[in-house]
Amino acid sequence: MNAQAALTSAEERETILETLVIQAELGQDELVRAGLATLHPADVAELLNVVEEPEIKQKVFSFLDPDLASEVLSLVSSLSRAELTQELSNAALGDLVERLDSDDAADLLGSLSEEQARAVLDQVPEQLSAEMEQLLRYPADTAGGIMQTEHVPVPEGTRVEQAIEMVRSHSEKVPDIHNVFVTDHEQRLVGVLPLRKLILARPGESVDKVMDRQVISARVDLAQEQVAQIFKLYDVVSIPVVDADGKLLGRITVDDVVDVLEEEATEDIYTIAGVQRSGTERINLVSDPVLKRVRLRFSWILITLTFELFVALVISKLFVATIEKLAILTAFIPVIIAIAGNVGLQSSTLVVRSIALGTISMSRTARIIFSETRTGFSLGLICGSITSTVGFLMNMKNPEVFQLAFSVFVGMVSALTAAATIGTVEPLVLHKLKQDPAVSSGPLITAVNDLMGTTMYLLVATYLQR
Amino acid sequence: MNAQAALTSAEERETILETLVIQAELGQDELVRAGLATLHPADVAELLNVVEEPEIKQKVFSFLDPDLASEVLSLVSSLSRAELTQELSNAALGDLVERLDSDDAADLLGSLSEEQARAVLDQVPEQLSAEMEQLLRYPADTAGGIMQTEHVPVPEGTRVEQAIEMVRSHSEKVPDIHNVFVTDHEQRLVGVLPLRKLILARPGESVDKVMDRQVISARVDLAQEQVAQIFKLYDVVSIPVVDADGKLLGRITVDDVVDVLEEEATEDIYTIAGVQRSGTERINLVSDPVLKRVRLRFSWILITLTFELFVALVISKLFVATIEKLAILTAFIPVIIAIAGNVGLQSSTLVVRSIALGTISMSRTARIIFSETRTGFSLGLICGSITSTVGFLMNMKNPEVFQLAFSVFVGMVSALTAAATIGTVEPLVLHKLKQDPAVSSGPLITAVNDLMGTTMYLLVATYLQR
């Protein structure tokens, strides 16, 4: 395949993959084998993600030679990985663990039951087994959880030509070498040497002379979001990972960070939209059964429902008489709560995203809250004027039309002011309390706004009826 | 400064930066100068982003030596960049254009008025000026718009030792060299050679022997999101950019792609939450005046408002009599529309994000829609049962309680089924029509759901009253 041509046309690539999926499903194995041979490992992974039946997936996977298979396995989705490995023997899994990069091997082991992981580790050389057990001990969402142990360590004082020789000897085991890491006699990191500098240095020179001493590194227990921030901020392609004493443990490469950033963005989006609670399993839109979708989504809905039933209680206990006297009031409840919901969600989303991108500093919170409150008030004046004018024109024959129009106006202004303020304050407070600020958005804000908006609106109407 | 220590503690870094901001605001220039000298360029950029007064920003910037200043300028936010450059003379801007990487220089020129950009280009050497004008012709959101022209081109047949010499001669002008690109006599790209391979090859060998011929490249007119997909899919750190004839034009490095991914995620989040319309200027939570916030946010709110006023019209024309007879119906309108809004937003967010991540294939749309419809129906059964039971218990003394409970149940089931279905179908249709699927989420879905939910609920109640 001409990778270049296929890649520049996303449609063409999609067509090729869909053709292969159909051929695989029809059992045209020879065509599939021939097609696979022309694909980049990443495209094979994509193909396996799209194939739906686990058996066909496993069959296509079995066509790959062992080295390609392990590379593909590190590229497929976690769902596909689970389906591809569930039928493999412990010996085959052990073989994969040996071939995979250490971070992918640890991910694979981590997806197995503890029992099976132990059985698989019995199949691999003792040193690798010990290394894996160590890696598995780091929490998945920390630098330790995403790092790989493969790297090129070079002792202080090594000459450049020796260092190049070390790169050569590691180049089989260590993928994508961009830097070598220089360590002292206690394995503590003292410098970093990009290949670009290594290539340009004189062969006899000591690496100490040419290495960068201002090293950007991550402690093994640093949260993965903060690791991603480091990559973004300092535009680096790989960073060393060290323990509390500064000892070199491994490295993190930018491609893993790209995944972290996408993961974090997805989590924020799902939390803002109240799709499912963070930390729970992801919903797969294509393959998950209805029951699982319902279960994962209901946990958020239940919170909204509880709040909203409280809104219903307030209306039924306090405002039924008001509505009996002027039923047209009901027509504007959806308007007020929808716009308040909209404004509150805008404020909270702006705050949540700014926190995630690191573009607001916490010393400015008072100013941010004040600006947002005034924005909500201004939007309230505009939307309140429009809505009460429309309400007035729609009900000109109703003797109570002034009562309606005034209640709508005051209800809208107070609901939108409150919505913007609460929408801004909630995520800021959660962030101060070291909670996920995204949790406050969507459903929670909506429920609080509905209560505020409805109550203010009907309170004014009730007062005017006296 | 020990960069490593500062970095592993985000709080410490924040404290240092906030101290410098205060010192700058107090005019303690000597302390600021001393502090700046210890910082990484990325941290200086962060500092300038946080300083609020443009004059102080400009003063701090003036403390930097020219090379550091240009690097910092490429790292600050676009807002800061505008503020830092607005007071500079055309000669100073020309000097910056010469020092900056070509992509950043083009961004800087692109942020000026056409007139001023022309005046600045008059200050720089003719060749650079022509190169810049060419770069500025590519749309900002394409491969051409984010690429830099700096790269290391090596003709076919070059020997490895000569290629290394070419890297050396380019290393001043070309930052972060990871690959050299091999071209034929017509400047067409024929291969890529990672530095790792270059360092390990025998000096006398021809680059043709060791280069990768399966080149992953981007056509200059490829959309930036698709460029980002290529980096994600193939785990690369830089790719060459070619024209329609395969001629090499420049390269894109992974750090620019990280920015694109963040940008796309932010745009999706803001569109889903209806913060502002895509393509419009971003709202800055700290510094933007209220008027600008209102203006940018109102464009979405106006759409919701129009829909919701239609909901109000429907209720007031069709259902006032129903509510007059049974005012308690009003109490459950917020419940039904909030939960329907929640479910619809869940479905549309799942679809929008899956499209963005490329995890759903368009051949599965029927299955996706069917699963989501059933999910909405199931959630409707659950929420309908809970809500009508609560409604029943809250109003047991009301003779019409069965009418209420039944209307709530049917209203909830039909509203949630419709919400999940519409929430799934809308973004899929928009995607098929090559529109941004995120537009359908949030406000639009909410408005349609409110109309459906309220109408179904009150229709059933009206029917039962006959």
Side-chain angles (χ1 to χ4, degrees), chain A residues 383-455:
Chain A
C383 296
S385 306
I386 295 175
T387 311
S388 66
T389 306
V390 172
F392 184 86
L393 295 176
M394 259 163 46
N395 300 281
M396 278 184 22
K397 287 180 195 143
N398 193 319
E400 318 280 1
V401 64
F402 284 102
Q403 182 198 334
L404 173 73
F406 189 69
S407 306
V408 165
F409 181 77
V410 176
M412 190 68 98
V413 173
S414 48
L416 266 52
T417 309
T421 309
I422 299 167
T424 310
V425 171
E426 265 203 49
L428 288 172
V429 169
L430 284 174
H431 183 60
K432 282 265 189 225
L433 298 175
K434 313 244 177 242
Q435 301 295 310
D436 179 5
V439 170
S440 64
S441 314
L444 262 186
I445 292 276
T446 304
V448 175
N449 284 340
D450 285 6
L451 185 60
M452 298 285 301
T454 322
T455 311

Side-chain angles (χ1 to χ4, degrees), chain B residues 103-306:
Chain B
D103 52 343
D104 296 321
D107 286 348
L108 173 58
L109 288 166
S111 70
L112 305 175
S113 70
E114 201 165 326
E115 220 173 326
Q116 197 184 1
R118 208 166 296 280
V120 171
L121 283 178
D122 284 343
Q123 308 282 327
V124 305
E126 202 166 323
Q127 201 202 331
L128 179 63
S129 162
E131 199 181 299
M132 283 295 127
E133 277 183 32
Q134 180 57 46
L135 264 186
L136 284 170
R137 244 172 256 139
Y138 303 119
D141 57 353
T142 62
I146 56 174
M147 76 175 182
Q148 47 182 221
T149 51
E150 291 89 353
H151 62 270
V152 184
V154 168
E156 271 181 307
T158 305
R159 277 180 297 122
V160 164
E161 58 186 335
Q162 290 174 310
I164 290 177
E165 208 37 62
M166 287 170 174
V167 172
R168 186 188 310 279
S169 66
H170 281 83
S171 67
E172 270 288 292
K173 280 296 284 179
V174 186
D176 300 325
I177 303 173
H178 303 295
N179 302 301
V180 304
F181 302 127
V182 184
T183 53
D184 67 12
H185 60 286
E186 292 184 65
Q187 267 76 54
R188 279 189 306 240
L189 182 70
V190 293
V192 166
L193 193 50
L195 284 197
R196 179 175 38 88
K197 289 204 171 182
L198 194 58
I199 218 171
L200 302 179
R202 277 178 294 109
E205 217 162 8
S206 160
V207 291
D208 306 26
K209 286 265 174 60
V210 279
M211 72 184 182
D212 295 332
R213 287 181 183 274
Q214 245 207 14
V215 183
I216 294 167
S217 67
R219 262 234 338 230
V220 68
D221 54 358
L222 195 67
Q224 65 174 3
E225 304 95 90
Q226 292 190 292
V227 173
Q229 290 291 341
I230 292 178
F231 275 83
K232 261 171 50 191
L233 210 48
Y234 300 98
D235 285 355
V236 284
V237 294
S238 86
I239 59 172
V241 178
V242 296
D243 69 9
D245 302 324
K247 277 197 188 133
L248 182 62
L249 299 174
R251 63 167 186 163
I252 297 170
T253 51
V254 68
D255 52 302
D256 296 317
V257 169
V258 168
D259 297 340
V260 170
L261 285 172
E262 291 255 317
E263 177 62 23
E264 298 290 326
T266 303
E267 197 164 308
D268 272 4
I269 290 173
Y270 283 2
T271 311
I272 287 172
V275 173
Q276 51 184 118
R277 302 181 77 167
S278 63
T280 55
E281 215 181 330
R282 266 306 136 66
I283 294 175
N284 182 305
L285 258 190
V286 181
S287 59
D288 276 349
V290 169
L291 194 67
K292 186 174 166 197
R293 295 172 198 234
V294 170
R295 184 169 52 77
L296 289 173
R297 283 156 73 159
F298 188 65
S299 69
W300 257 132
I301 288 174
L302 187 60
I303 297 173
T304 319
L305 188 58
T306 310

Side-chain angles (χ1 to χ4, degrees), chain B residues 25-91:
Chain B
E25 285 170 355
L26 293 176
Q28 299 173 335
D29 293 353
E30 282 321 302
L31 284 176
V32 176
R33 272 178 209 271
L36 284 175
T38 68
L39 292 183
H40 188 283
D43 291 324
V44 178
E46 177 77 359
L47 176 69
L48 288 170
N49 287 338
V50 179
V51 170
E52 226 155 314
E53 302 302 327
E55 304 77 51
I56 299 180
K57 223 177 253 219
Q58 288 155 4
K59 190 178 67 178
V60 173
F61 188 66
S62 72
F63 292 162
L64 309 173
D65 79 66
D67 269 331
L68 181 59
S70 70
E71 188 170 355
V72 166
L73 201 64
S74 73
L75 294 167
V76 293
S77 71
S78 52
L79 179 75
S80 294
R81 193 176 305 161
E83 289 175 341
L84 289 173
T85 52
Q86 68 188 3
E87 298 293 315
L88 293 180
S89 67
N90 289 343

Side-chain angles (χ1 to χ4, degrees), chain B residues 8 125 131 163 167 256 266 365 377 383 403 454:
Chain B
T8 46
E131 199 181 299
V167 172
D256 296 317
T266 303
T365 46
F377 180 73
C383 296
Q403 181 199 334
T454 322

